[in-house]
């Protein structure tokens, strides 16, 4: 059997990046984070992505509510298995959304806590006491936190779900909407009910995505001019690398090619992007990279 040829894989795709992705790729020459704080940077996007994935899974589970309803109509009773499955996935999505916000605050704490006064380590306390934070914490970031009116509702869900059993979902056959109810949670003295839980999650995802976008847009403006290594992709198992400056405009042609030092050798596979890559036209000098001043 002939050996399998490893595929060409493109990794560097800045046209698909948001503000969080940009910071995650470029902060290394500006901020020296601990392992915990590096995980927080990664967690901002990954927790939001998990929430979106769980939301999509919830859509797939939604038809099971019809089975619960049919059991109820036929037998006068249903174990509501599908309702609990759907509710569990929805609740997990809510917890992932909160984790994304929590990771965002951990990144802010890593950057600004030493130069600020009264900067709490708790996400809850930061949102509740933002006006008490003084010193080097930017006013633009304070404004973003003050404007996050959705936070208290998300915090309530997160706090209650940590200690309670699973809630329940039901389908309104007239409107097609799915409601969520938890008798262990209270809203105006009554059981906690969200009449259209999918609309609620979509709204929360949109607002949290916008919130992190504002936060990391400002953090990206703090990055210093320095050469940062980026993996472009892989060809036949070999790594393609370029270096670029995060303070300059960013697209696929940004930066300067470094991998040409090996892929131009006749015995090695060439980069499949050379004909259309601006970075290749701006090759770095041979040898190790020299950091920009």
């Amino acid at each position: 059997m002939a050996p399998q040829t490893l595929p060409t894989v493109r990794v560097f795709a800045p046209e698909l990046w948001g503000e969080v992705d940009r910071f995650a790729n470029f902060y290394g020459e500006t901020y020296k984070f601990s392992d915990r704080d590096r995980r927080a940077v990664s967690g901002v996007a990954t927790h939001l992505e998990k929430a979106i994935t769980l939301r999509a899974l919830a859509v797939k589970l939604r038809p099971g509510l019809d089975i619960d309803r049919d059991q109820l109509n036929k037998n006068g009773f249903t174990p509501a298995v599908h309702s609990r499955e759907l509710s569990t996935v929805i609740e997990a999505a809510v917890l992932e959304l909160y984790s994304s916000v929590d990771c965002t605050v951990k990144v802010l704490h890593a950057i600004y806590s030493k130069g600020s006064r009264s900067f709490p380590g708790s996400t809850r306390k930061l949102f509740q006491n933002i006006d008490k934070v003084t010193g080097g914490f930017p006013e633009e970031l304070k404004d973003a936190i003050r404007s996050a009116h959705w936070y208290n509702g998300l915090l309530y869900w997160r706090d209650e779900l940590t200690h309670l059993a699973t809630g329940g979902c039901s389908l309104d056959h007239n409107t097609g909407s799915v409601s969520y109810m938890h008798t262990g949670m209270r809203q105006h003295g009554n059981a906690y009910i969200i009449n259209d839980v999918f609309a609620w999650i979509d709204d929360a995802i949109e607002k949290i995505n916008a919130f992190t976008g504002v936060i990391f847009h400002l953090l990206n403006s703090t990055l210093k001019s320095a050469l940062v290594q980026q993996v472009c992709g892989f060809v036949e198992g070999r790594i393609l690398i370029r270096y670029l400056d995060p303070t300059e405009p960013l697209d696929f042609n940004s930066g300067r090619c470094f991998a040409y030092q090996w892929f131009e050798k006749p015995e090695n596979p060439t980069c499949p992007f050379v004909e259309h890559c601006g970075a290749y036209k701006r090759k770095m000098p041979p040898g190790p990279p020299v950091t920009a001043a």
Side-chain angles (χ1 to χ4, degrees):
M1 180 181 294
Q4 184 178 4
T5 301
L6 295 173
T8 297
V9 178
R10 177 186 171 192
V11 175
F12 183 66
E15 69 276 10
L16 303 178
W17 292 356
E19 297 289 346
V20 177
D21 300 311
R22 182 165 183 153
F23 183 83
N25 279 278
F26 293 143
Y27 73 82
E29 293 299 323
T30 303
Y31 299 111
K32 302 305 178 184
F33 289 152
S34 67
D35 288 343
R36 175 181 178 274
D37 295 329
R38 285 194 291 270
R39 289 196 296 270
V41 173
S42 174
V44 176
T46 54
H47 284 296
L48 183 60
E49 290 166 1
K50 287 180 185 179
I52 294 171
T53 299
L54 288 165
R55 194 268 184 206
L57 178 58
V59 171
K60 294 180 180 180
L61 294 175
R62 180 175 174 169
L65 296 177
D66 288 323
I67 298 175
D68 290 349
R69 185 182 181 92
D70 291 342
Q71 290 173 339
L72 183 63
N73 291 335
K74 181 179 179 180
N75 305 319
F77 169 78
T78 175
V81 171
H82 301 89
S83 172
R84 287 198 300 275
E85 289 177 345
L86 179 57
S87 299
T88 299
V89 171
I90 287 173
E91 291 170 359
V94 172
L95 296 177
E96 291 295 339
L97 288 174
Y98 190 88
S99 292
S100 180
V101 178
D102 193 44
C103 285
T104 300
V105 171
K106 283 182 170 60
V107 176
L108 294 178
H109 188 272
I111 294 172
Y112 293 108
S113 61
K114 291 183 180 179
S116 303
R117 292 180 294 277
S118 301
F119 198 117
S122 161
T123 299
R124 178 199 312 266
K125 290 181 180 178
L126 182 65
F127 275 84
Q128 292 175 347
N129 301 290
I130 189 61
D131 291 320
K132 295 181 181 180
V133 180
T134 58
F137 194 53
E139 194 64 28
E140 297 92 332
L141 294 177
K142 290 185 181 181
D143 286 340
I145 292 172
R146 291 187 191 106
S147 301
H149 304 299
W150 44 265
Y151 174 75
N152 285 335
L154 183 66
L155 174 65
Y156 179 71
W157 264 65
R158 181 259 193 181
D159 284 352
E160 295 300 313
L161 293 178
T162 302
H163 304 290
L164 293 174
T166 306
C169 287
S170 60
L171 177 65
D172 187 324
H173 285 262
N174 293 321
T175 65
S177 63
V178 174
S179 64
Y180 171 89
M181 182 176 71
H182 203 305
T183 56
M185 300 167 63
R186 311 309 293 174
Q187 187 177 49
H188 308 302
N190 299 313
Y192 186 79
I193 298 175
I194 296 179
N195 291 322
D196 189 337
V197 72
F198 282 96
W200 189 97
I201 291 177
D202 289 342
D203 182 64
I205 289 172
E206 180 180 351
K207 288 177 177 175
I208 292 168
N209 187 48
F211 172 75
T212 56
V214 170
I215 297 293
F216 283 90
H217 177 73
L218 189 142
L219 294 184
N220 282 322
S221 72
T222 70
L223 299 178
K224 68 181 182 181
S225 178
L227 291 178
V228 179
Q229 182 186 97
Q230 288 292 297
V231 175
C232 301
F234 301 87
V235 56
E236 296 186 19
R238 294 174 177 262
I239 190 169
L240 300 166
I241 292 174
R242 74 178 73 192
Y243 282 83
L244 46 79
D245 186 332
T247 65
E248 296 179 353
L250 181 67
D251 59 31
F252 179 73
N253 294 302
S254 298
R256 306 179 71 182
C257 180
F258 186 73
Y260 76 92
Q261 295 181 61
W262 66 261
F263 71 65
E264 285 187 342
K265 296 178 179 179
E267 67 270 22
N268 292 329
T270 190
C271 172
F273 308 112
V274 291
E275 294 183 6
H276 309 289
C277 180
Y280 179 66
K281 297 175 182 178
R282 294 183 297 275
K283 301 175 186 177
M284 290 188 65
V290 178
T291 302

